[in-house]
Each structure stands twice: as C-alpha cells, then as structure tokens.
Amino acid sequence: MSVSAYPLSHRFLLGRARHRLSEHERGVVEGLITDVERFTSAHVVLERGDVVSRSTLLIEGFVARVINEGGRRHIVALHVPGDFVDLHAFALKRLDHSIVSIGPVMVGYTTHKKLEGLMQTEPHLSRMLWFSTLLDAAMHREWIMKLEHLSADGRLAHLIAEIWQRLDFVGLADPGGFPFPLTQQELADSCGTTAIHMNRVVRKLRENGIAEISRGRVTVLDKDALIEAGGFDPSYLYGKGDLMLD
Amino acid sequence: MSVSAYPLSHRFLLGRARHRLSEHERGVVEGLITDVERFTSAHVVLERGDVVSRSTLLIEGFVARVINEGGRRHIVALHVPGDFVDLHAFALKRLDHSIVSIGPVMVGYTTHKKLEGLMQTEPHLSRMLWFSTLLDAAMHREWIMKLEHLSADGRLAHLIAEIWQRLDFVGLADPGGFPFPLTQQELADSCGTTAIHMNRVVRKLRENGIAEISRGRVTVLDKDALIEAGGFDPSYLYGKGDLMLD
DNA sequence: CGATACGTTGATCCATTTCAAGATTGGTGG
DNA sequence: CCACCAATCTTGAAATGGATCAACGTATCG
C-alpha cells in the first residue's frame, strides 16, 4: 500500500485490526474525509456537551480527551495520528468530554450522514469502526487499572510505553523513542498527579537511566526497565504481535 | 411493556437509549438469549485472555470487570442487571479482563453467530448494541476522571451515586438506597485504595450522615451531600433525564 | 462451635500535595 | 539582534492522605 494513495487516512487502524482493510475499504475510508483543518496547540477542537453531526479523524499530531472538573483539567485519553477521535459521537451524539490539541494538529471530518450510508453498504468496515471504539474502551480500562495500582512513577512509565507502542503501530516511532509534545503539566493531568510532582518523577526516570523527556521528544534509554516500571503488557492494544517494536 | 413478556432481557438499555427499542426489537433481543446460568458469589464467569464465541447478558445480580496485576485484583468496571457484560468481545474476540460475580448472579448467553445475523437484519438494533458499548466507554472515562482528581472519600461517594443512578434506570433502586453486595475489600479494589483505608472512608460517610453501607445494602441518608462529595454529574450516563431519581 | 471471611482500630511510615520561590526556555516586538 | 515576557521547568520545606504492619472484634455457616 502506498502512503500517498491515502494521504488522509492511511494510518487508520494501521497494525491494529485483526482483519486488514481491503483496498476497496481503504478507499471508502479515505473518501469519508471531506474537510481538513489545522489547529495550533491548545485549541479546543470540540467542547464537552456539544451536539455533533460529524466525526473527527486525527491525521497529524496529538489530541487529548479532557474532562474539566473542580477547576482542574483531567486528561482521560490521548490520541495519535490515525485515531478516530470522536467516532463514538456517531451513536452518542452528545460529547461527554472535550477534545484539545496538544501541539499543532491536522484533523479531517466526516459527516454522520456518510457514516450512516457506510453502515448500510459496508458491514465489515462498519464492524472495524466499532472495533476501533472498543479499542478506546480497552485502553480506558488499562488506564483505570494503572491509576488504581501504580504510583506516579509507574503511571508515567506506562503512559510512555503505551504511546511508544501506539506510535509504532502507525509508523511514527523509532527504536530510540518518539516525538511527544506534552508539557509536564499535561503529563501530570494524564497521570492524576501535580505538575510539581511530575517534574520529580520525570527527573527520576532520567536519573534511573530509563527515559528522557524533553524538547517535545521522549528518548527511551532502557526499554526493558521502562516496561518493568510501568507493568506494561501491550495485549490490551490488540495489535498484530504482542511484542513491542518487534 | 410487561416485564413478563421479556423475562431475560427486559432491563436491557432500559431508560438509557435515546431511541427506545420497538416491541419487535425487544423480541429479537429476548430471542438472542439461549442458555441461562446461575453462579454463586466470586465465580469467575470469564477469564482474561479467553477467546470467546458468545456474549453474556447480566440478568440478575452484580459482576465486576477485573484486571489482576502485581498480585492484586483491580476492578475496572461494575455491571448491573440489564448490562451486556462482554458485548465488546463480539468484535474483539479476546477478553482483556476477567468477569467475576459479586453475590449470586444469573446470566444469559447469546452466540456471536446470532449477533452476526442481527447485524445484517437489524440496523437500528445493531446501532443500539454499539451504543451500549460506547456507554461503557463513557463510564470508563468518568472513572478515570474520578481516579485522577478525587480522594478516596470522593471516589466512594461517586461510585455509590453512579450505581444508584444506574440501578434506578433498571428499576432496582428505591428512594432510600439500593441493594449492593460489595465487601469493603471490593469497594477498595474499585476505588484504587486498600481495604483498611476503605473501612475508615465508609465510616466517615456514615458519620457525616451521607450514606450507610452494610449488610449488602447502601442506604443514602443525604442525597445532595452524596452528589456533592462525589462531584457526580450523571450526564455521562446518557439517561433520559439528567436528574437523579426524578 | 470452631473455622473462615469480613470488619474495625491504632501506630508508624512514605508518597504526594501544597505553598513558596527561583531558573530556564521560547517567542515577540522594538 | 537583543530585551523582555510568559510559559515551562526546577528545587526546597512543611503538611497530609493513604499505605503498611499488627492485632482484635464480629458475623456467618457448615
């Protein structure tokens, strides 16, 4: 498959679908995307409570799913290129959380009307769209588990391991690490801790020779130690293989 | 709708679907369930890693979605009667967590083959099945938020408020409280804390005149204080109305 | 009526929060 | 090109929620 054939959607479900999409289906997905838009960092792409009639595919960059509560911002999920960010809104209509860009992003939109038609004519692809929302739920469960039983150190290690693996699925990781524009505040919001404590945790990861996080990039220094620290087992991502970067 | 017409499935999506199911669809859902089984408490209904070819509807009682990690049991979701517990396995096939009964339960099974047929013939109902898995994901996100920003007290209050609301949707709550068989250990596993600390939190809830948890029942003493303590906003449950028990 | 799970309480220790302040970085306009 | 501003990162010290260790009370059920 050449990348240029599907400039907008070529990362969709890449490496994650048990059943690969056919060329025909890839064409259908590419055809779903009508408008494309770019946003700078910290742009609120969608607001909690919005009633939407289209869904958003993340093409480039990172976005967070955010719930504001008690004057604080809580990141409940992160998305990498190729993810349908609010496909669930096709069935739920109303958003229970906001979508915020982290770093510059490019997104594409498809209308629910188009999805409606797809549901009638493309049963296998429809199932794959469902599959992709179920993957989100599986990741949510792993986050819950991680929040319930890991200390801040472990949570950060787990987060890094997960994003590394997911970026690898879509061809955006390298053996030494990956681009990652989150600030320490945003890492804290993702791990349920404070920015101050996250700063110490980040330092500890560096001092222990596990990973370095700086200037928009994560450099993994010791992959095994990272996996160990986060108790990371990628099977919940339902990827092709269950071994990282192998 | 008479309850006795659909003895197994009459609670499915009750009060939660924006579009009500038609009588025909209710009949289809009821017809999905072939086998019915009863289990005693602490029975492992399904094990993480199982490859399954059927899905499980919870008819009576409570089950937990459990991830064991680091020698500890973590509850990542709870289910009430009427919930499809592992509908996601229809698309994912392999389970990323175990299902464990809490108290005596009755479950029904439907084969993926039957669901397959339903996908072809019942587009609206198919969408409602998808909807129900998306609701699970929305609850997961709220749990993540709750774990990220609430102390143990707030987490317990939030849990109680959520279960109360969900049981009310399916007609199993009363204005004074609801049946709830979780031990303090299981409450701790759900809130990411220890049984010892959960014991103190339970006592505090009682001493503050908010709620009492004992002998398999939650008695809510002060609804407003409970909602306040847990920061509970039921909109993520996508119910008919957004007010509890109104 | 003894076994076994469940609930309760106290004392100590540690991870994390909070408050406070300073250093570094990147971007912007003059 | 430099000065400045704002965001980000960093560090220290004090306060605290929750974990851990240890022990004891209390249901419940064969």
Side-chain angles (χ1 to χ4, degrees), chain A residues 5 30 106 163 167 197 206 216 234:
Chain A
E30 182 74 17
M106 176 162 76
I163 300 294
L167 285 174
H197 190 60
R206 183 178 355 99

Side-chain angles (χ1 to χ4, degrees), chain A residues 141 144 148, chain B residues 16 58 61-66 74-81 83-85 97 99-102 135-136 139-140 143 146 156 158-160 162-163 166 178 180-183 186-191 237:
Chain A
R141 284 189 288 275
I144 290 171
E148 282 181 350
Chain B
R16 301 198 294 176
L58 180 59
F62 296 84
V63 302
R65 301 204 202 187
V66 169
H74 300 282
I75 294 176
V76 299
L78 286 171
H79 283 288
V80 302
D83 288 352
F84 253 113
V85 167
H97 55 270
I99 308 289
V100 178
S101 63
I102 295 183
L135 266 182
D136 288 339
M139 292 183 219
H140 291 342
W143 277 45
K146 156 186 107 180
L156 179 60
H158 189 283
L159 179 73
I160 289 173
E162 178 184 301
I163 300 294
R166 287 168 66 189
F178 54 95
F180 199 51
L182 271 72
T183 62
E186 288 158 341
L187 288 173
D189 293 342
S190 304
C191 292
L237 294 173

Side-chain angles (χ1 to χ4, degrees), chain B residues 12 33 70 82 178 189 200 205:
Chain B
F12 176 63
I33 309 301
F178 54 95
D189 293 342
R200 304 187 221 263
L205 263 199

Side-chain angles (χ1 to χ4, degrees), chain A residues 83-202:
Chain A
D83 289 352
F84 253 113
V85 166
D86 61 344
L87 186 55
H88 57 295
F90 174 53
L92 293 176
K93 296 305 175 199
R94 179 165 48 82
L95 286 172
D96 53 77
H97 55 270
S98 303
I99 308 289
V100 179
S101 63
I102 294 184
V105 300
M106 176 162 76
V107 301
Y109 299 107
T110 185
T111 63
H112 289 176
K113 197 166 183 166
K114 282 200 171 196
L115 289 172
E116 207 80 56
L118 183 151
M119 297 283 286
Q120 311 289 331
T121 57
E122 299 282 344
H124 177 254
L125 186 51
S126 300
R127 187 92 71 84
M128 288 299 99
L129 291 177
W130 186 4
F131 176 86
S132 88
T133 63
L134 294 172
L135 266 181
D136 287 338
M139 291 182 218
H140 291 342
R141 284 189 288 275
E142 196 75 8
W143 277 44
I144 290 171
M145 192 272 288
K146 155 187 107 179
L147 289 166
E148 282 181 350
H149 108 276
L150 292 176
S151 62
D153 313 36
R155 292 177 189 180
L156 179 60
H158 188 284
L159 180 73
I160 290 173
E162 178 184 301
I163 300 294
W164 195 22
Q165 174 69 83
R166 287 168 65 189
L167 285 174
D168 183 50
F169 282 150
V170 295
L172 293 173
D174 53 90
F178 54 95
F180 198 52
L182 271 72
T183 63
Q184 292 184 357
Q185 177 66 60
E186 287 158 343
L187 288 173
D189 293 342
S190 304
C191 292
T193 185
T194 60
I196 293 172
H197 190 60
M198 181 50 69
N199 178 273
R200 303 187 222 263
V201 169
V202 164

